[in-house]
Amino acid sequence: MSQVFSEETHRNLLSRIPHCTGREISDWLRTVDEGPSLFRFEEKVSWLRGEHNLAYGHAKAIIHEHDLRRAARNL
């Protein structure tokens, strides 16, 4: 994984995403699930930025959260 935000920074970014994008985190996570099957973290971030015109930090936070939740499901 690329550079990872601190937990506090990650949570702050997640809390601002709905206000900045008009979509809830759950909507973004579903978008990532339904998107192309990319393997690398930065590929996913680039796809999300390009496809949905997101800021780099927001895209990175969404992908990081997606990866965290996917890992938790696999435990």
Side-chain angles (χ1 to χ4, degrees):
M1 190 181 302
S2 183
Q3 301 170 352
V4 178
F5 300 122
S6 72
E7 185 64 27
E8 179 182 1
T9 300
H10 178 66
R11 293 288 157 218
N12 286 337
L13 276 169
L14 285 181
S15 70
R16 289 192 303 247
I17 287 172
H19 174 72
C20 295
T21 66
R23 292 177 62 185
E24 294 298 321
I25 296 301
S26 59
D27 293 337
W28 285 114
L29 297 176
R30 192 170 26 263
T31 297
V32 174
D33 280 336
E34 294 169 354
S37 296
L38 302 171
F39 295 105
R40 295 185 49 208
F41 183 85
E42 287 298 330
E43 289 175 326
K44 295 175 194 176
V45 171
S46 294
W47 170 78
L48 201 55
R49 290 183 71 208
E51 189 72 23
H52 298 282
N53 199 29
L54 290 175
Y56 178 72
H58 291 156
K60 189 172 174 180
I62 291 166
I63 297 300
H64 182 61
E65 184 67 17
H66 182 266
D67 289 350
L68 287 174
R69 291 185 187 195
R70 185 181 62 205
R73 283 192 308 253
N74 291 333
L75 289 179

